[in-house]
Amino acid sequence: MDITVKRFNDLTTAELYEILRCRAEVFVVEQQATYQDLDCHDFSSTHLFIKEGDRILAYMRVVDPGEKFPSASIGRVLTMKDARGHGYARQLLTRAIAIAKTLSPTIEIEAQTYLIDFYQSMGFQPTSDTFILDGLPHISMIHPADK
């Protein structure tokens, strides 16, 4: 599967609609998180997704440094329920890390705690205790500067 990488202004209306639909389906409906998804960080982000036809199977965004954190950050990481288990998130995260590293030496994330092992396998290190964000347990993590 090919990875599509676009800045906000390059997204088509249909792509933006599908991104927002997927984020609502996974985070609001499936995970029952009540949160403000439209946080204005999309404008300053690089959006990565894997599609099958017009349907997005997996998605995440890289937020520019200084927007959410001093460093670049990665968030809104999702794989649609029926597309899980195919390594799409790992493929996207590998590409997202490479993009983020061109923007800042470190990457900051707020990871759902059930995904700590996944993020550690990708080089992220915990930097906080567990906290509740949008009704779900999270932990701050950092991908350190390359040596």
Side-chain angles (χ1 to χ4, degrees), residues 16-74:
L16 178 59
Y17 182 90
E18 180 67 3
I19 288 167
L20 297 175
R21 187 195 67 74
C22 290
R23 289 179 2 189
E25 185 174 326
V26 171
F27 300 126
V28 177
V29 177
E30 182 183 335
Q31 296 182 353
Q32 299 179 352
T34 303
Y35 76 110
Q36 182 59 46
D37 183 36
L38 301 177
D39 59 3
C40 295
H41 296 307
D42 287 317
F43 297 113
S44 301
S45 295
T46 301
H47 302 267
L48 296 86
F49 48 94
I50 295 174
K51 289 181 6 179
E52 184 175 72
D54 291 333
R55 183 172 172 265
I56 289 178
L57 303 176
Y59 166 85
M60 64 187 62
R61 69 182 183 184
V62 176
V63 181
D64 293 346
E67 283 297 314
K68 185 169 178 157
F69 298 110
S71 300
S73 64
I74 297 171

Side-chain angles (χ1 to χ4, degrees), residues 121-139:
S121 77
M122 299 295 292
F124 286 88
Q125 302 167 358
T127 59
S128 76
D129 292 328
T130 299
F131 59 92
I132 301 299
L133 179 64
D134 302 323
L136 300 170
H138 283 71
I139 188 168

